[in-house]
């Protein structure tokens, strides 16, 4: 089992890889059967779905994550932050988000859940 500090470093590495558009690198941080749930998309199951999302479905072209708070246990990490970037339709976006990661014994992500701070109701 990895430590909470190691879990935090893995999550920080994830955001760095996403911001650099290193899809093979970021997908390698997930287990083969990982589940990712994100508003507006069906649940993604496995690394094939993750690769497809980051290559084809993600509406973001580029940007940067800024982490405000990170709270961790060895097998769970909660993140609150901001994202600033450019969408495929040319619009600039700045949005607050919260992510929750679950990690397996090998330190790879077995689950991720994302939430955005936007008015819906």
């Amino acid at each position: 089992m990895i430590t909470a500090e190691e879990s935090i470093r893995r999550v920080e590495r994830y955001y760095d890889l996403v911001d650099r558009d290193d899809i093979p690198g970021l997908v390698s941080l997930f287990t083969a059967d990982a589940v990712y749930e994100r508003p507006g998309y069906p649940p993604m199951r496995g690394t094939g779905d993750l690769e497809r999302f980051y290559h084809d479905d993600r509406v973001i072209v580029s940007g940067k994550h800024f982490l405000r708070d990170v709270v961790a246990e060895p097998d769970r990490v909660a993140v609150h932050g901001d994202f600033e970037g450019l969408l495929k339709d040319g619009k600039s976006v700045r949005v607050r988000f919260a992510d929750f990661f679950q990690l397996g014994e090998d330190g790879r992500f077995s689950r991720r859940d994302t939430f955005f701070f936007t008015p819906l109701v």
Side-chain angles (χ1 to χ4, degrees), residues 59-107:
V59 298
I60 297 168
V61 173
S62 63
K64 176 134 180 74
H65 291 84
F66 301 92
L67 307 186
R68 292 178 182 214
D69 298 297
V70 180
V71 179
E73 295 179 6
D75 63 342
R76 298 166 198 247
V77 179
V79 178
H80 174 221
D82 298 287
F83 174 80
E84 294 181 24
L86 183 64
L87 303 181
K88 287 181 179 176
D89 66 5
K91 292 181 186 173
S92 294
V93 65
R94 180 174 184 184
V95 63
R96 285 177 51 200
F97 69 91
D99 270 331
F100 298 88
F101 294 84
Q102 291 181 4
L103 292 85
E105 290 204 14
D106 65 355

Side-chain angles (χ1 to χ4, degrees), residues 16 18 50 75 111:
D16 179 57
V18 170
L50 289 169
D75 63 342
R111 181 173 185 89

Side-chain angles (χ1 to χ4, degrees), residues 19 30 86 105 110 117:
D19 292 347
F30 288 84
L86 183 64
E105 290 204 14
S110 60
F117 290 81

Side-chain angles (χ1 to χ4, degrees), residues 1 5 7 13 32 34 52 56 66 73 96-98 101 109 117:
M1 179 66 74
E5 291 79 18
S7 295
R13 176 159 171 69
R52 194 169 16 269
D56 303 326
F66 301 92
E73 295 179 6
R96 285 177 51 200
F97 69 91
F101 294 84
F109 306 131
F117 290 81

Side-chain angles (χ1 to χ4, degrees), residues 8-36:
I8 290 171
R9 283 195 298 275
R10 288 173 192 241
V11 166
E12 290 172 337
R13 176 159 171 69
Y14 166 79
Y15 291 111
D16 179 57
L17 292 168
V18 170
D19 292 347
R20 290 191 290 129
D21 198 32
D22 182 345
I23 296 168
L26 72 91
V27 169
S28 75
L29 298 176
F30 288 84
T31 62
D33 61 348
V35 176
Y36 178 29

